[in-house]
């Protein structure tokens, strides 16, 4: 269902939303490097593209689960450099040296529950991004043509 022709048409809007969404990412549990990885693993689709009343952009995060270990590596690398693992949100990692050492030894708190929590947070944030993107397209009067391109794709 994913079609590159409609996504190629919205590069400018994506850049605008990226800039506007950067504060939301900073307020999340993810660093900008982690967010870049999440976005690389996310595909956007227009659900119900042939129905103007029901069509909406959705984030397909099926592949995000595969990059969760890499998100944890970014956490550890940033912790080792003295930075903060997450974006500073309430659920972000403290990113301290001890956390980094414990994580490297496989003794850190990055168990299954944290993995699921990261996945849920990534899914929620990418869907918020998709909504912002659709709002941007609507405000520029481009939504209907993009939606039709996806339906024809």
């Amino acid at each position: 269902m994913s079609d590159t022709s409609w996504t190629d048409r919205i590069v400018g809007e994506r850049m605008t939303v990226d800039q506007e969404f950067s504060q939301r990412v900073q307020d999340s549990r993810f660093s900008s490097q982690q967010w870049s990885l999440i976005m690389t693993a996310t595909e956007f689709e227009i659900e119900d593209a042939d129905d103007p009343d029901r069509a909406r952009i959705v984030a397909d995060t099926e592949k995000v689960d595969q990059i969760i270990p890499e998100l944890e590596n970014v956490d550890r690398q940033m912790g080792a450099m003295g930075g903060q693992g997450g974006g500073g949100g309430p659920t972000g990692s403290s990113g301290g040296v001890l956390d980094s050492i414990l994580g490297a030894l496989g003794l850190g708190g990055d168990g299954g529950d944290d993995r699921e929590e990261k996945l849920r947070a990534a899914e929620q944030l990418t869907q918020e991004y998709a909504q912002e993107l659709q709002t941007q397209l609507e405000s520029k009067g481009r939504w209907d043509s993009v939606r039709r391109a996806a339906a024809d794709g």
Side-chain angles (χ1 to χ4, degrees), residues 58-72:
V58 294
D60 177 356
T61 57
E62 183 178 317
K63 296 176 185 172
V64 172
D65 187 49
Q66 299 168 15
I67 59 129
I68 295 293
E70 189 56 34
L71 295 179
E72 293 166 357

Side-chain angles (χ1 to χ4, degrees), residues 21-77:
F21 207 73
S22 65
Q23 184 61 50
R24 178 65 184 95
V25 172
Q26 285 180 350
D27 294 341
S28 77
R29 69 175 294 150
F30 302 110
S31 68
S32 59
Q33 293 88 347
Q34 289 172 319
W35 177 243
S36 292
L37 286 170
I38 292 167
M39 289 300 281
T40 299
T42 301
E43 294 181 22
F44 292 96
E45 300 174 353
I46 298 182
E47 197 173 73
D48 298 317
D50 56 345
D51 184 343
D53 296 325
R54 293 182 34 205
R56 67 185 185 108
I57 297 177
V58 294
D60 177 356
T61 57
E62 183 178 317
K63 296 176 185 172
V64 172
D65 187 49
Q66 299 168 15
I67 59 129
I68 295 293
E70 189 56 34
L71 295 179
E72 293 166 357
N73 286 339
V74 170
D75 259 349
R76 283 191 287 276
Q77 290 170 358

Side-chain angles (χ1 to χ4, degrees), residues 29 75-76 78-102 109-110 114 118:
R29 69 175 294 150
D75 259 349
R76 283 191 287 276
M78 291 183 69
M81 292 186 294
Q84 188 171 7
T91 59
S93 166
S94 65
V97 175
L98 182 59
D99 287 343
S100 179
I101 293 169
L102 289 173
D110 288 335
D114 191 49
K118 284 181 182 172

